[in-house]
Amino acid sequence: MEPYRFMFEKTQDRILALNKRMERLGCILQKRFNFTQSSHVTFAQQEPVWTVGRVCCCSEGRLNDKSIVLLPPLEISNGRCLELDVSKIPEFAVFPGQILGVEGVNSVGSSLLVSRVHQDARKQMLASRVDKLRNYADRKSLELTVACGPFTASDGLFYKTLDALIEVLTEEPPDILMLIGPFVDLKHPVIQSCSVEKSFEEIYENLLTPRFKKALSLSENLLLLIVPSLRDVHHDRIFPQPPFQGPFMHERLRYLSNPCTFSVNEIVIGVTATDVLFHLSKEEVFKQSEGVRTDRLGRLANHLIEQRSFYPLYPPAMEVNLETSRIDKLEMACTPDILILPSDMKFFAKIVNDSLAVNPGRLTKALSAGTYCQISVAGIDSRHLDGEGDETKISNNIVNRSQVKIMRI
């Protein structure tokens, strides 16, 4: 992603971008679940109707089961919302901005008694050609280390935890080291108190760049990936967020955007530095059947996959300066094999819809050291490729070849 002009957004551009995404996912839901969008959902009738739309809240404060409304596409609703009565369905999980397909009866013209809900619009995982997989068959495991900022304790800009991480990796350097911001944290007490004598750019250049160089010196084969955060005070605080523009450049250093998707050895990895899990947890309305236990963190991560977006919540959290007209840049090109979701919530590694979802935690928590993660992906067994044609596409099966360790620094 290239840097772009922001804060020049028009209201009409926002409306069109949101409606375009709604129509795109609505068409996918209709094809997948075999229903047809009714053209008269806002009229009173006794027959069941189907419609797609975006979930909104009709009251002050957070969404609840009594304030759920659905905004259908503009051409059939003229901007009119439908109240959703979800009292008759046994379980659901909705949040503002979610694109749904719903069936129900609109007997009064303004409220839909919901009987069925569909929200799974996920993309397929990327299948790889056999001839490409053979290049990585029976090789040693791909080692990926992921650490998320802050990288320094709250008592000063000393970056001792980042130094400690680099020291730990000295013995066994990974193939890929991914560092996810914030690097110069907007919420750091020293930054908030304005007690620094250098500019934020100088802090990044003088304190972080030497440590990037040291990380690259761990191994001549190590690839260093840098992902910015909306809490990076020296960078554009706009979402989607372009990558850093230096000042340090190296052939084994890659500056990535936030969010981003990339491929290594036919493994698709998706990353966002924005704490979307925490934001969703505050806005989601959830109901489950009696006696059924659910995995909350896995369900929150699953929302991203089913909505094929790194940030499906709308309106966004106050701290997220979303450029709505570029909301298409938040969509997943495909369902990632590995989904990295740094969050202030408890660290985890879970299988979610055949993807490996990982929250490595924060490397620093106030005055104490935190956690990072090590992901090891074994090479594919060449015996699984025997008898397959070179152009045949098969699943990478990353989940069954991976091991994740959440480590304390």
Side-chain angles (χ1 to χ4, degrees):
M1 180 191 301
E2 296 295 329
Y4 59 89
R5 295 175 71 222
F6 50 90
M7 297 180 66
F8 291 93
E9 212 173 36
K10 297 179 181 178
T11 302
Q12 183 180 10
D13 295 337
R14 293 184 178 184
I15 295 173
L16 292 177
L18 291 170
N19 195 63
K20 184 178 179 180
R21 168 173 163 75
M22 186 199 312
E23 290 178 342
R24 184 165 57 249
L25 265 65
C27 289
I28 293 167
L29 289 171
Q30 290 180 60
K31 292 179 180 178
R32 181 164 297 175
F33 298 102
N34 193 28
F35 67 89
T36 302
Q37 167 75 57
S38 301
S39 59
H40 45 273
V41 293
T42 57
F43 298 153
Q45 55 186 313
Q46 302 305 315
E47 296 296 325
V49 296
W50 275 100
T51 186
V52 298
R54 186 176 76 250
V55 174
C56 303
C57 179
C58 68
S59 65
E60 295 290 336
R62 296 179 182 175
L63 188 71
N64 58 66
D65 60 352
K66 303 298 182 183
S67 64
I68 304 172
V69 297
L70 193 74
L71 177 61
L74 294 177
E75 63 271 16
I76 65 170
S77 68
N78 292 323
R80 290 181 59 192
C81 292
L82 276 174
E83 295 181 13
L84 296 187
D85 183 349
V86 294
S87 60
K88 300 300 182 181
I89 53 178
E91 56 185 34
F92 60 86
V94 299
F95 57 89
Q98 186 180 27
I99 309 299
L100 298 178
V102 297
E103 181 188 29
V105 176
N106 185 5
S107 59
V108 296
S110 60
S111 179
L112 192 70
L113 180 61
V114 180
S115 57
R116 280 193 288 178
V117 176
H118 295 305
Q119 70 276 345
D120 187 1
R122 59 179 159 165
K123 286 191 174 182
Q124 296 295 319
M125 303 185 78
L126 190 66
S128 299
R129 286 171 49 122
V130 169
D131 57 346
K132 292 184 177 181
L133 288 176
R134 286 197 175 104
N135 295 330
Y136 309 109
D138 299 327
R139 288 190 179 185
K140 72 178 186 69
S141 299
L142 175 71
E143 302 295 334
L144 169 65
T145 297
V146 182
C148 180
F151 293 98
T152 183
S154 58
D155 59 349
L157 299 175
F158 306 118
Y159 292 92
K160 291 182 180 180
T161 47
L162 180 55
D163 291 334
L165 174 66
I166 296 174
E167 187 66 27
V168 168
L169 299 179
T170 302
E171 296 183 4
E172 295 185 12
D175 299 303
I176 301 173
L177 173 59
M178 179 185 295
L179 300 180
I180 304 172
F183 297 94
V184 186
D185 189 5
L186 173 71
K187 297 183 178 181
H188 195 284
V190 174
I191 300 296
Q192 290 186 327
S193 64
C194 300
S195 58
V196 292
E197 298 180 355
K198 297 180 180 180
S199 69
F200 302 136
E201 290 78 9
E202 288 175 331
I203 293 174
Y204 176 79
E205 183 174 356
N206 296 337
L207 298 181
L208 273 305
T209 296
R211 289 170 169 85
F212 294 163
K213 294 179 179 178
K214 185 176 180 181
L216 287 167
S217 68
L218 295 178
S219 169
E220 61 182 12
N221 296 318
L222 183 143
L223 178 64
L224 178 60
L225 307 178
I226 305 295
V227 181
S229 166
L230 294 178
R231 286 166 53 180
D232 275 310
V233 72
H234 67 293
H235 192 46
D236 295 335
R237 298 186 60 237
I238 191 69
F239 195 60
Q241 189 176 28
F244 293 140
Q245 300 298 308
F248 173 55
M249 306 298 290
H250 192 279
E251 61 180 0
R252 290 186 284 112
L253 171 64
R254 301 288 185 273
Y255 293 110
L256 304 179
S257 60
N258 172 31
C260 62
T261 304
F262 61 94
S263 176
V264 179
N265 293 5
E266 297 298 304
I267 303 169
V268 179
I269 302 175
V271 185
T272 178
T274 306
D275 196 347
V276 60
L277 297 181
F278 183 69
H279 298 164
L280 281 172
S281 71
K282 294 195 298 182
E283 300 294 340
E284 183 196 43
V285 178
F286 174 66
K287 176 184 176 183
Q288 64 181 6
S289 303
E290 293 185 8
V292 178
R293 297 184 62 184
T294 61
D295 175 11
R296 185 186 184 211
L297 293 174
R299 186 180 71 249
L300 294 174
N302 190 44
H303 284 319
L304 277 66
I305 294 175
E306 290 191 338
Q307 294 288 294
R308 58 172 66 186
S309 173
F310 285 104
Y311 200 90
L313 181 66
Y314 192 89
M318 288 293 292
E319 63 192 68
V320 178
N321 303 316
L322 178 63
E323 189 78 2
T324 309
S325 60
R326 294 180 177 265
I327 202 170
D328 59 310
K329 301 296 183 183
L330 303 180
E331 290 202 4
M332 298 177 179
C334 63
T335 298
D337 297 308
I338 301 175
L339 187 57
I340 309 295
L341 301 171
S343 175
D344 290 332
M345 302 182 76
K346 186 176 176 61
F347 53 81
F348 66 82
K350 299 179 181 292
I351 299 174
V352 180
N353 256 334
D354 297 326
S355 288
L356 181 60
V358 181
N359 170 21
R362 305 286 183 183
L363 194 66
T364 308
K365 296 182 178 180
L367 292 173
S368 60
T371 59
Y372 66 98
C373 80
Q374 294 178 334
I375 303 175
S376 179
V377 183
I380 194 167
D381 192 334
S382 60
R383 291 175 296 180
H384 296 161
L385 306 178
D386 292 343
E388 300 286 352
D390 286 348
E391 297 185 0
T392 303
K393 291 187 176 182
I394 63 174
S395 170
N396 284 331
N397 199 20
I398 296 299
V399 168
N400 293 330
R401 296 195 283 127
S402 300
Q403 181 183 44
V404 181
K405 297 180 181 178
I406 307 293
M407 311 289 290
R408 292 196 177 275
I409 190 65

